[in-house]
Every structure is written in structure tokens, then in C-alpha cells.
Amino acid sequence: ADLIRVEHVIKEYNHGAVKALNDCSLSIQKGEVVAIIGPSGSGKSTLLRCLNLLEVPSSGHIYFNGVDITDKKVDINLHRRKMGMVFQHFNLFPHMTVKKNITLAPVQLGLKKQEEADAQAMKLLERIGLANKADEFPNMLSGGQKQRIAIVRALAMEPEVMLFDEPTSALDPEMVGEVLDLMRDLAHEGMTMAVVTHEMGFAREVASRVIFMDSGAILEENSPRFLFDSP
Ligand code: ADP
Ligand code: ADP
């Protein structure tokens, strides 16, 4: 069965004046890495935001593990916990240490005791080589470090899916590689991922499928081999 199934989703803004998604349908399997590309304003970000219910579709359905998450009875917060999200701008809390940024949500939601969450945070920081930054504040870090911390902060919630919205677009070029490397590692570990990106190299090498969006609809989807290597 599909892990995620989007069926005929329409998302309107401004009372229908803007159709950010216009009859969008797709499926994502467990362990798949889907790269979403397309021009600015084509609905990529809206699609991700509908997947984790930051936005609710105007019509259509989204199924997660067979459950219709567009149903009014669904617990939106419970669903969001399963979907880790990483934005272009890291959204770290500036007044909290790196470690606190990572432990805040699991502790506040009662998923972990502080000591457990601290231990997990240190493990995650060791994984990305930033254990020595645990007690520093985000403004002491480079953009690449901040974004890798934003990624492990999402991982601390033990999500089933990771959603990335242009995770490298705000970075200086020399920082892009370290973030893509971490994402590539996650993909190889079997994490299900949907990635809005302009990084064609990443899409080509890491994605199992590439989706082209335009005007709120999916124009084409195929394996990167077909999209990039055809004459
Ligand atoms: P992309 O991520 O491909 O750049 P978006 O999903 O951000 O595209 O936007 C799709 C369309 O919806 C654009 O025309 C954008 O201006 C519009 N849009 C997005 N969010 C809102 C909003 N909150 N209110 C009104 N229009 C929006
Ligand atoms: P992105 O393309 O990465 O979503 P944007 O700058 O288009 O970045 O959007 C940033 C925020 O502004 C998002 O929350 C989006 O929903 C909102 N937004 C985008 N376009 C519009 C719009 N035309 N009117 C109101 N809000 C918008």
C-alpha cells in the first residue's frame, strides 16, 4: 500500500482567486525519495504544507498509511509529529542552545524525559560532528551547521517522513554540500523523503522519482534516469 496518497487535491487561497494546487495527485511509497521541482509559484511548497497539514486542502483527499488525514476527525498534531519538516530558513529558536532546540519538542510533548532527550540530542549531534556545539546558541553557527541541526531536530521526533522545502536555497554555496550529504545519508538509511529543491545533482543521484510541477499541477513524473538522461 502507498505510505502517502494525494488524490485530486485543490488548494485555493484568497477565496479561490489563487489555485496553488490544481488537481494534484501522487503516491509516495515507504523509503522513496521524491524530488519536487518546478518554477517559483508552481505549488511545490503548498504541496509539502498539505502533506503535514500546515495547510488543509480545499478539496480532495490525502491518505497517510491508508488513513484520510483530510478528515475533520484527524488529530492534526499527532499527524504532524510523523512528518519532520525542514525549511529554507532554519527556524531554530535563537534564544535556546542547540541542545535545547533539539530536545524541546520531544520533552514538551511528553514523548521523552529531559535526560533521555538530552542523550538522544547528543547522539544526533555526534552523528553530524557538532557535539561540541551543544551548548552554543544558533547565532554562533554557520548556515550549513544551522541547517544540519534543523534536520536532526526534526529527526529527534522520530518521524516517518521527512519533508524538505528548499533546504539549501538560503545557504552560501560552500555549505550546500554538507547539508546534501546528510540528506543523502538519510535517504540511504531508508527514510521516506519529499524534497523541494533546485539541486539537480541531488535529484538525479538520490531521488527515486522526480516530479515536475507547474501551475499547481504535476506535469510529469519519472525516474531521474528518464528525466535527465533522455536525448
Ligand atoms: P512554490 O513553492 O512552487 O514557489 P507555492 O506553493 O509557495 O509555490 O505557491 C503557489 C501559489 O500559491 C503562488 O501563486 C503563491 O503566491 C500562492 N500562495 C502560497 N501561499 C499563499 C497564501 N498563504 N496566500 C495566498 N497565496 C498563496
Ligand atoms: P516559498 O515559495 O518557499 O513558499 P514564499 O516566499 O513564496 O516561499 O512564501 C513564504 C510564505 O508566504 C509562505 O507561508 C506562503 O504560504 C506565504 N505566501 C506566499 N505567497 C503568498 C501570497 N501571494 N499571499 C499571501 N501569502 C503568501
Side-chain angles (χ1 to χ4, degrees):
D2 303 325
L3 180 60
I4 296 170
R5 190 150 44 92
V6 176
E7 279 188 357
H8 301 296
V9 163
I10 293 174
K11 176 63 188 178
E12 297 177 334
Y13 291 110
N14 304 343
H15 309 284
V18 177
K19 270 200 168 69
L21 294 177
N22 192 0
D23 198 12
C24 200
S25 299
L26 84 149
S27 298
I28 300 178
Q29 314 302 312
K30 193 169 159 50
E32 231 190 333
V33 177
V34 176
I36 303 169
I37 62 184
S40 178
S42 60
K44 307 180 298 295
S45 197
T46 303
L47 175 59
L48 285 194
R49 294 158 64 82
C50 284
L51 292 180
N52 74 352
L53 295 178
L54 278 174
E55 302 280 3
V56 179
S58 308
S59 68
H61 296 272
I62 301 177
Y63 298 88
F64 185 76
N65 274 322
V67 175
D68 185 354
I69 60 165
T70 56
D71 189 298
K72 284 189 181 60
K73 291 191 285 277
V74 160
D75 183 336
I76 289 182
N77 290 317
L78 197 62
H79 174 69
R80 273 196 203 140
R81 285 184 207 170
K82 300 174 190 166
M83 317 293 279
M85 182 117 178
V86 175
F87 301 90
Q88 186 171 343
H89 298 281
F90 332 109
N91 298 346
L92 296 175
F93 304 114
H95 57 292
M96 289 179 196
T97 64
V98 165
K99 187 164 66 176
K100 187 79 183 183
N101 263 280
I102 298 170
T103 62
L104 184 72
V107 171
Q108 281 205 338
L109 293 167
L111 305 177
K112 287 201 160 67
K113 293 198 169 65
Q114 187 68 53
E115 307 81 75
E116 277 177 277
D118 284 344
Q120 180 198 33
M122 291 313 298
K123 256 203 184 134
L124 288 166
L125 287 170
E126 273 158 29
R127 168 186 179 150
I128 57 173
L130 295 177
N132 59 335
K133 307 290 188 194
D135 298 318
E136 292 192 11
F137 289 87
N139 66 2
M140 301 299 291
L141 307 171
S142 73
Q145 291 172 335
K146 281 191 261 197
Q147 193 60 305
R148 287 185 289 136
I149 288 163
I151 292 171
V152 298
R153 180 177 61 173
L155 293 177
M157 291 293 290
E158 296 169 13
E160 289 185 46
V161 177
M162 284 289 286
L163 307 175
F164 294 87
D165 194 351
E166 302 198 19
T168 60
S169 296
L171 298 177
D172 292 335
E174 69 270 24
M175 314 262 173
V176 169
E178 64 194 58
V179 172
L180 293 180
D181 284 347
L182 174 55
M183 292 168 62
R184 185 179 292 116
D185 287 349
L186 292 179
H188 289 158
E189 287 166 15
M191 177 61 79
T192 308
M193 296 168 43
V195 185
V196 173
T197 187
H198 301 297
E199 294 291 335
M200 293 306 134
F202 179 86
R204 181 198 180 97
E205 288 156 31
V206 183
S208 40
R209 198 145 47 97
V210 179
I211 287 178
F212 273 105
M213 291 190 71
D214 196 12
S215 306
I218 294 172
L219 271 195
E220 187 173 358
E221 59 175 304
N222 219 322
S223 86
R225 244 174 346 119
F226 283 98
L227 288 175
F228 295 122
D229 296 346
S230 50

